[in-house]
PDB file of all heavy atoms in Angstrom:
ATOM      1  N   THR S  78     -79.370  -9.013  93.214  1.00 96.00           N
ATOM      2  CA  THR S  78     -80.123 -10.244  93.044  1.00 96.00           C
ATOM      3  C   THR S  78     -80.960 -10.442  94.305  1.00 96.00           C
ATOM      4  O   THR S  78     -80.747  -9.767  95.315  1.00 96.00           O
ATOM      5  CB  THR S  78     -79.200 -11.455  92.782  1.00 96.00           C
ATOM      6  OG1 THR S  78     -79.984 -12.551  92.331  1.00 96.00           O
ATOM      7  CG2 THR S  78     -78.410 -11.847  94.010  1.00 96.00           C
ATOM      8  N   THR S  79     -81.911 -11.352  94.239  1.00 97.00           N
ATOM      9  CA  THR S  79     -82.783 -11.637  95.374  1.00 97.00           C
ATOM     10  C   THR S  79     -82.595 -13.085  95.802  1.00 97.00           C
ATOM     11  O   THR S  79     -82.598 -13.992  94.967  1.00 97.00           O
ATOM     12  CB  THR S  79     -84.262 -11.383  95.012  1.00 97.00           C
ATOM     13  OG1 THR S  79     -84.401 -10.014  94.606  1.00 97.00           O
ATOM     14  CG2 THR S  79     -85.180 -11.646  96.192  1.00 97.00           C
ATOM     15  N   PHE S  80     -82.409 -13.283  97.107  1.00 97.00           N
ATOM     16  CA  PHE S  80     -82.300 -14.622  97.677  1.00 97.00           C
ATOM     17  C   PHE S  80     -83.596 -14.978  98.402  1.00 97.00           C
ATOM     18  O   PHE S  80     -84.286 -14.095  98.920  1.00 97.00           O
ATOM     19  CB  PHE S  80     -81.139 -14.695  98.676  1.00 97.00           C
ATOM     20  CG  PHE S  80     -79.786 -14.572  98.052  1.00 97.00           C
ATOM     21  CD1 PHE S  80     -79.038 -13.414  98.212  1.00 97.00           C
ATOM     22  CD2 PHE S  80     -79.250 -15.611  97.306  1.00 97.00           C
ATOM     23  CE1 PHE S  80     -77.783 -13.296  97.646  1.00 97.00           C
ATOM     24  CE2 PHE S  80     -77.998 -15.505  96.732  1.00 97.00           C
ATOM     25  CZ  PHE S  80     -77.265 -14.349  96.904  1.00 97.00           C
ATOM     26  N   THR S  81     -83.888 -16.273  98.454  1.00 96.00           N
ATOM     27  CA  THR S  81     -85.043 -16.781  99.201  1.00 96.00           C
ATOM     28  C   THR S  81     -84.537 -17.728 100.286  1.00 96.00           C
ATOM     29  O   THR S  81     -83.339 -18.025 100.358  1.00 96.00           O
ATOM     30  CB  THR S  81     -86.007 -17.553  98.278  1.00 96.00           C
ATOM     31  OG1 THR S  81     -85.369 -18.768  97.844  1.00 96.00           O
ATOM     32  CG2 THR S  81     -86.416 -16.712  97.071  1.00 96.00           C
ATOM     33  N   GLU S  82     -85.446 -18.230 101.082  1.00 95.00           N
ATOM     34  CA  GLU S  82     -85.069 -19.186 102.128  1.00 95.00           C
ATOM     35  C   GLU S  82     -84.440 -20.450 101.537  1.00 95.00           C
ATOM     36  O   GLU S  82     -83.625 -21.101 102.189  1.00 95.00           O
ATOM     37  CB  GLU S  82     -86.294 -19.553 102.958  1.00 95.00           C
ATOM     38  CG  GLU S  82     -86.788 -18.391 103.784  1.00 95.00           C
ATOM     39  CD  GLU S  82     -88.075 -18.684 104.507  1.00 95.00           C
ATOM     40  OE1 GLU S  82     -88.980 -19.310 103.912  1.00 95.00           O
ATOM     41  OE2 GLU S  82     -88.173 -18.290 105.686  1.00 95.00           O
ATOM     42  N   ALA S  83     -84.776 -20.780 100.325  1.00 95.00           N
ATOM     43  CA  ALA S  83     -84.186 -21.954  99.667  1.00 95.00           C
ATOM     44  C   ALA S  83     -82.692 -21.760  99.408  1.00 95.00           C
ATOM     45  O   ALA S  83     -81.972 -22.729  99.156  1.00 95.00           O
ATOM     46  CB  ALA S  83     -84.911 -22.235  98.354  1.00 95.00           C
ATOM     47  N   ASP S  84     -82.213 -20.518  99.491  1.00 96.00           N
ATOM     48  CA  ASP S  84     -80.809 -20.201  99.219  1.00 96.00           C
ATOM     49  C   ASP S  84     -79.940 -20.171 100.476  1.00 96.00           C
ATOM     50  O   ASP S  84     -78.783 -19.749 100.401  1.00 96.00           O
ATOM     51  CB  ASP S  84     -80.708 -18.840  98.508  1.00 96.00           C
ATOM     52  CG  ASP S  84     -81.403 -18.834  97.175  1.00 96.00           C
ATOM     53  OD1 ASP S  84     -81.177 -19.772  96.387  1.00 96.00           O
ATOM     54  OD2 ASP S  84     -82.183 -17.896  96.919  1.00 96.00           O
ATOM     55  N   LEU S  85     -80.459 -20.600 101.619  1.00 96.00           N
ATOM     56  CA  LEU S  85     -79.663 -20.585 102.853  1.00 96.00           C
ATOM     57  C   LEU S  85     -78.324 -21.273 102.627  1.00 96.00           C
ATOM     58  O   LEU S  85     -78.255 -22.317 101.982  1.00 96.00           O
ATOM     59  CB  LEU S  85     -80.415 -21.294 103.982  1.00 96.00           C
ATOM     60  CG  LEU S  85     -81.598 -20.531 104.573  1.00 96.00           C
ATOM     61  CD1 LEU S  85     -82.397 -21.438 105.497  1.00 96.00           C
ATOM     62  CD2 LEU S  85     -81.153 -19.284 105.296  1.00 96.00           C
ATOM     63  N   GLY S  86     -77.256 -20.653 103.111  1.00 97.00           N
ATOM     64  CA  GLY S  86     -75.920 -21.223 102.975  1.00 97.00           C
ATOM     65  C   GLY S  86     -74.943 -20.215 102.403  1.00 97.00           C
ATOM     66  O   GLY S  86     -75.227 -19.019 102.313  1.00 97.00           O
ATOM     67  N   ILE S  87     -73.800 -20.714 101.989  1.00 98.00           N
ATOM     68  CA  ILE S  87     -72.739 -19.865 101.441  1.00 98.00           C
ATOM     69  C   ILE S  87     -72.648 -20.115  99.939  1.00 98.00           C
ATOM     70  O   ILE S  87     -72.628 -21.260  99.489  1.00 98.00           O
ATOM     71  CB  ILE S  87     -71.396 -20.156 102.130  1.00 98.00           C
ATOM     72  CG1 ILE S  87     -71.510 -19.784 103.621  1.00 98.00           C
ATOM     73  CG2 ILE S  87     -70.261 -19.385 101.465  1.00 98.00           C
ATOM     74  CD1 ILE S  87     -70.307 -20.151 104.455  1.00 98.00           C
ATOM     75  N   HIS S  88     -72.610 -19.025  99.187  1.00 98.00           N
ATOM     76  CA  HIS S  88     -72.575 -19.086  97.727  1.00 98.00           C
ATOM     77  C   HIS S  88     -71.358 -18.320  97.216  1.00 98.00           C
ATOM     78  O   HIS S  88     -71.021 -17.259  97.738  1.00 98.00           O
ATOM     79  CB  HIS S  88     -73.852 -18.475  97.138  1.00 98.00           C
ATOM     80  CG  HIS S  88     -75.093 -19.114  97.678  1.00 98.00           C
ATOM     81  ND1 HIS S  88     -75.619 -20.265  97.155  1.00 98.00           N
ATOM     82  CD2 HIS S  88     -75.897 -18.775  98.727  1.00 98.00           C
ATOM     83  CE1 HIS S  88     -76.695 -20.605  97.838  1.00 98.00           C
ATOM     84  NE2 HIS S  88     -76.886 -19.723  98.798  1.00 98.00           N
ATOM     85  N   THR S  89     -70.728 -18.857  96.179  1.00 98.00           N
ATOM     86  CA  THR S  89     -69.572 -18.219  95.559  1.00 98.00           C
ATOM     87  C   THR S  89     -69.997 -17.616  94.225  1.00 98.00           C
ATOM     88  O   THR S  89     -70.664 -18.281  93.425  1.00 98.00           O
ATOM     89  CB  THR S  89     -68.438 -19.240  95.335  1.00 98.00           C
ATOM     90  OG1 THR S  89     -68.088 -19.813  96.597  1.00 98.00           O
ATOM     91  CG2 THR S  89     -67.216 -18.571  94.721  1.00 98.00           C
ATOM     92  N   PHE S  90     -69.608 -16.372  94.006  1.00 98.00           N
ATOM     93  CA  PHE S  90     -69.929 -15.669  92.768  1.00 98.00           C
ATOM     94  C   PHE S  90     -68.658 -15.088  92.168  1.00 98.00           C
ATOM     95  O   PHE S  90     -67.709 -14.781  92.881  1.00 98.00           O
ATOM     96  CB  PHE S  90     -70.911 -14.513  93.028  1.00 98.00           C
ATOM     97  CG  PHE S  90     -72.228 -14.970  93.548  1.00 98.00           C
ATOM     98  CD1 PHE S  90     -72.496 -14.948  94.903  1.00 98.00           C
ATOM     99  CD2 PHE S  90     -73.216 -15.425  92.684  1.00 98.00           C
ATOM    100  CE1 PHE S  90     -73.715 -15.381  95.397  1.00 98.00           C
ATOM    101  CE2 PHE S  90     -74.436 -15.858  93.162  1.00 98.00           C
ATOM    102  CZ  PHE S  90     -74.689 -15.835  94.521  1.00 98.00           C
ATOM    103  N   THR S  91     -68.668 -14.931  90.859  1.00 98.00           N
ATOM    104  CA  THR S  91     -67.617 -14.184  90.186  1.00 98.00           C
ATOM    105  C   THR S  91     -68.262 -12.983  89.517  1.00 98.00           C
ATOM    106  O   THR S  91     -69.427 -13.030  89.113  1.00 98.00           O
ATOM    107  CB  THR S  91     -66.873 -15.032  89.132  1.00 98.00           C
ATOM    108  OG1 THR S  91     -67.816 -15.560  88.204  1.00 98.00           O
ATOM    109  CG2 THR S  91     -66.095 -16.148  89.784  1.00 98.00           C
ATOM    110  N   MET S  92     -67.512 -11.894  89.433  1.00 98.00           N
ATOM    111  CA  MET S  92     -67.979 -10.672  88.771  1.00 98.00           C
ATOM    112  C   MET S  92     -66.979 -10.276  87.710  1.00 98.00           C
ATOM    113  O   MET S  92     -65.769 -10.374  87.921  1.00 98.00           O
ATOM    114  CB  MET S  92     -68.131  -9.532  89.785  1.00 98.00           C
ATOM    115  CG  MET S  92     -69.281  -9.691  90.737  1.00 98.00           C
ATOM    116  SD  MET S  92     -69.335  -8.366  91.982  1.00 98.00           S
ATOM    117  CE  MET S  92     -69.540  -6.904  90.985  1.00 98.00           C
TER     118      MET S  92
END
Side-chain angles (χ1 to χ4, degrees):
T78 193
T79 301
F80 292 107
T81 68
E82 292 174 318
D84 298 312
L85 287 170
I87 296 174
H88 305 275
T89 302
F90 297 97
T91 56
M92 289 176 61

